[in-house]
Structures are given as C-alpha cells and as structure tokens.
Amino acid sequence: MRKWKTSESDPLRIHEIQLDGCKIGISFCPGKVQEFAMSGPWNRDLDADLDVIYSSGYNVVLSLIEYREFEELQVEGFLESAVQN
C-alpha cells in the first residue's frame, strides 16, 4: 500500500530567490493530486497550500504548468481559488 502525501503530512515548501529587492518563491503545483508521481502519490489541499503561500508573504501566484496539466493534477479550480484567496 502506497502512503499518500498531503498538505498536512508534507507542508508546501517554498524556495526563495531574492532579486533586486523582490522575493520570488518557487514550489510545485499547489493542491496537486497525482497518484503516480515520481516522488510518490500526492493528495494535496489547494486551499491549505494557497494559505501557506499567502502567509509566507506572497501576493502573486504565477503558474508555469500547461493548461492540460491543470486537469492531470486535478487542480481545475486553481485559477479561481488563487484569485479568490
């Protein structure tokens, strides 16, 4: 039996880069659900992950995944949730 990683068991990690006084955070897709990821199965909570991003001082989220990946990672509500939060 594979152990699923969640937002609670594996809190979102954000790696920071400082650039000309700006703080840029880099992380994997918030809220992703991916059973067969190379790093093991994930079942994250989108709202919990977005809360971590916001509480870490970020006010802009830029996604670099392709539109088809929103469905593959089961985060179709990502854009609406990110805007609302």
Side-chain angles (χ1 to χ4, degrees):
M1 184 166 148
R2 296 165 54 108
K3 183 180 179 201
W4 288 78
K5 298 176 188 175
T6 67
S7 298
E8 188 174 305
S9 68
D10 292 85
L12 189 70
R13 290 175 293 207
I14 302 172
H15 300 277
E16 290 187 0
I17 298 171
Q18 296 291 329
L19 182 65
D20 294 331
C22 293
K23 178 173 77 169
I24 299 170
I26 300 171
S27 188
F28 53 76
C29 182
K32 75 177 185 172
V33 177
Q34 189 176 27
E35 185 173 1
F36 299 106
M38 292 180 69
S39 57
W42 292 92
N43 187 14
R44 302 192 64 80
D45 179 279
L46 178 58
D47 290 331
D49 287 350
L50 291 174
D51 286 345
V52 169
I53 292 169
Y54 180 74
S55 67
S56 297
Y58 297 99
N59 57 6
V60 175
V61 174
L62 171 67
S63 174
L64 298 178
I65 66 173
E66 297 180 23
Y67 282 109
R68 66 174 175 74
E69 293 176 290
F70 284 98
E71 185 176 320
E72 288 175 17
L73 297 175
Q74 300 180 42
V75 290
E76 293 93 342
F78 175 83
L79 297 175
E80 294 83 15
S81 293
V83 169
Q84 289 175 0
N85 287 332

